[in-house]
Amino acid sequence: MKKIALIIALIIAFIQGSLAQINLEHEFNWLSAASVNLPTLGYKYYAMDAINNKCIIYNTDYTLYKQINIPMPSGYYLVDLQYVSENIFNTDPQLEFLYVIYKFDSTLGYGMYSTRIMNEAGTQLLQVDGGGYSLVYPAAQGSKLFVWMYDFSLSLYSIGTRVYSLPGSYSTNNSNTVDIQTESMLPYPNPARDFVLLPIPKGFDVRNVTISLFDKEGKMLPTEPFSFNGNLIKLSTIHLKPGNYYYRINQNTTTVSSGKLLIAK
């Protein structure tokens, strides 16, 4: 009798496991959608409305919680919303946002990034002209903000990193924070100019590989030339205009890797 009960339990477990699947739960109309675990407010979703320059925050049931206007200097447009927090960039109870804006100067012939941090009341906490990508990490003396710097006024554009000490506290529960072990798997350089290196898993079979490229509206673009170099794919971006793009690496019908690219020239 015990054997029969055990067999039935195993069959039920197998059926339940085989029925498990990934289901579409919700679809945002905005880019850069993500989730964050805020110390006071708990879990929230947020997304970037690049057309109207807003940060839109949702409850976990996808109902609207709050919309915050992001001030935009003349000629710039919003390209990324990288962090939403309560206590990383200062210690008051207001929400804070780290975002990136971009401007292409046709007279000078190159683009310019600027990283900004503001709170929900519109007070600017930091402005880093040239900053295109940011990461928050814990350190021995408190939390640090690392901002990747780009100067496209040079023919071989310079790349550097600025490190800022933060008054707020770092929390590993904040889902904005990038795991340092996975950071090496991000595309590089990003922003890119003439090419970008896209990571692929170790031991990956490079046969039957295609790359799908999309603009910020989700329109699929013509395939750009690419080649393999170890665990990296070198994708040409020389024909792409400055802006925000998304890529997807496919093998046959399976998506192996995907991510976001910024192109600056």
Side-chain angles (χ1 to χ4, degrees):
M1 194 69 181
K2 290 183 178 180
K3 288 184 178 180
I4 295 175
L6 178 60
I7 293 172
I8 293 174
L10 290 173
I11 293 173
I12 293 173
F14 174 78
I15 293 174
Q16 289 177 338
S18 63
L19 293 177
Q21 58 183 343
I22 299 174
N23 296 311
L24 176 63
E25 184 176 290
H26 186 77
E27 186 169 351
F28 290 101
N29 293 324
W30 321 111
L31 295 176
S32 295
S35 67
V36 60
N37 186 11
L38 300 169
T40 303
L41 297 175
Y43 281 98
K44 298 290 181 185
Y45 298 116
Y46 68 89
M48 174 185 76
D49 180 354
I51 297 176
N52 299 303
N53 301 323
K54 293 178 182 291
C55 171
I56 306 176
I57 302 176
Y58 297 89
N59 298 308
T60 53
D61 61 357
Y62 301 108
T63 57
L64 179 65
Y65 172 72
K66 186 176 291 187
Q67 296 187 56
I68 297 95
N69 293 318
I70 298 176
M72 197 60 49
S74 177
Y76 282 84
Y77 65 90
L78 184 64
V79 296
D80 202 7
L81 179 63
Q82 295 181 349
Y83 282 88
V84 174
S85 77
E86 285 181 318
N87 59 359
I88 293 179
F89 304 115
N90 62 19
T91 56
D92 67 27
Q94 296 191 67
L95 290 172
E96 314 141 1
F97 312 90
L98 187 152
Y99 58 96
V100 181
I101 59 178
Y102 177 80
K103 173 183 180 180
F104 183 79
D105 192 314
S106 57
T107 302
L108 297 175
Y110 59 85
M112 295 166 282
Y113 284 96
S114 183
T115 290
R116 310 283 175 96
I117 300 176
M118 60 166 276
N119 64 20
E120 59 183 310
T123 302
Q124 184 169 286
L125 307 177
L126 181 68
Q127 175 176 329
V128 185
D129 292 332
Y133 191 76
S134 299
L135 296 164
V136 175
Y137 287 134
Q141 295 81 30
S143 301
K144 306 296 181 183
L145 171 66
F146 295 78
V147 182
W148 297 1
M149 305 296 297
Y150 298 87
D151 183 357
F152 295 105
S153 64
L154 306 176
S155 57
L156 294 175
Y157 63 88
S158 62
I159 301 175
T161 302
R162 292 184 183 178
V163 183
Y164 295 85
S165 60
L166 298 175
S169 60
Y170 168 91
S171 172
T172 55
N173 290 328
N174 189 317
S175 62
N176 292 150
T177 306
V178 177
D179 187 337
I180 194 168
Q181 294 180 343
T182 63
E183 176 55 28
S184 61
M185 294 299 291
L186 294 174
Y188 181 84
N190 194 13
R193 192 170 186 174
D194 298 327
F195 72 91
V196 64
L197 299 175
L198 306 176
I200 53 177
K202 291 182 179 180
F204 178 70
D205 187 349
V206 298
R207 292 174 294 181
N208 302 319
V209 168
T210 59
I211 298 179
S212 302
L213 198 62
F214 306 87
D215 63 17
K216 64 180 181 179
E217 280 81 29
K219 178 183 177 182
M220 182 178 288
L221 304 175
T223 302
E224 296 292 327
F226 64 91
S227 59
F228 296 96
N229 183 7
N231 293 323
L232 297 171
I233 293 178
K234 184 176 181 180
L235 174 68
S236 172
T237 58
I238 196 168
H239 297 119
L240 298 178
K241 296 179 180 179
N244 206 14
Y245 295 86
Y246 294 85
Y247 72 89
R248 191 166 62 212
I249 301 174
N250 312 297
Q251 185 178 49
N252 297 319
T253 59
T254 302
T255 298
V256 177
S257 178
S258 62
K260 180 166 59 178
L261 298 174
L262 295 175
I263 304 299
K265 298 182 179 181

